[in-house]
Amino acid sequence: PAVAGSGPRPAPGYTAVNAVIDKKEDGPGCRCGHTLTAVPAVGEEGSPGYVGPRLILFGGATALEGNSATPPSSAGSAGIRLAGATADVHCYDVLSNKWSRLTPLGEPPSPRAAHVATAVGTMVVIQGGIGPAGLSAEDLHVLDLTQQRPRWHR
């Protein structure tokens, strides 16, 4: 065992998990700039309305444009830009090891990446980010997962 203050410790190990994806659209696919938020179970275990603990993946970019090695031009700054921003919601059920795509009721946030998300009980709060229209700094959305059918609230 390492002694406190004795220098760097090795990173914790992990195990790769082969999750179940019934249909291709259920899985989130390759993306960057998304959020993955842990949400606790809803209801009492064994009751009809029980939903186990989940990970909620929101948004992200499915492509990159540009090249960070390109020098800046007079037309704009160099660098990599996010492209293919999404407003997709995917759910990983921790107990069943299964991905699914959610289609919440209500008005969803605009497609975005590089946003922030946090769980407040069984709700996921989404704020900010970068989308096709630029910064999304002035909006706040809540994905309410307390009911059988998730719902967006602005």
Side-chain angles (χ1 to χ4, degrees):
V3 177
S6 65
R9 296 182 313 206
Y14 67 92
T15 303
V17 175
N18 290 324
V20 176
I21 300 174
D22 289 336
K23 297 178 287 191
K24 183 178 180 183
E25 60 270 13
D26 285 341
C30 296
R31 62 186 64 217
C32 63
H34 58 280
T35 52
L36 187 64
T37 309
V39 178
V42 175
E44 301 236 359
E45 194 168 355
S47 69
Y50 177 76
V51 179
R54 298 160 283 175
L55 298 176
I56 302 297
L57 183 144
F58 173 75
T62 58
L64 298 174
E65 293 177 350
N67 180 347
S68 62
T70 305
S73 69
S74 59
S77 62
I80 296 174
R81 292 186 325 210
L82 301 174
T86 72
D88 296 347
V89 181
H90 296 271
C91 175
Y92 175 74
D93 185 306
V94 175
L95 300 178
S96 68
N97 188 33
K98 186 175 180 179
W99 280 102
S100 60
R101 183 167 178 172
L102 301 180
T103 308
L105 300 170
E107 181 185 344
S110 60
R112 65 190 65 203
H115 53 281
V116 295
T118 190
V120 178
T122 55
M123 296 183 288
V124 177
V125 180
I126 309 276
Q127 198 270 325
I130 303 168
L135 294 176
S136 301
E138 296 298 321
D139 62 354
L140 184 82
H141 294 268
V142 175
L143 179 59
D144 186 351
L145 298 160
T146 57
Q147 305 297 318
Q148 285 289 73
R149 182 79 189 267
R151 175 178 287 278
W152 284 112
H153 300 281
R154 185 176 168 120

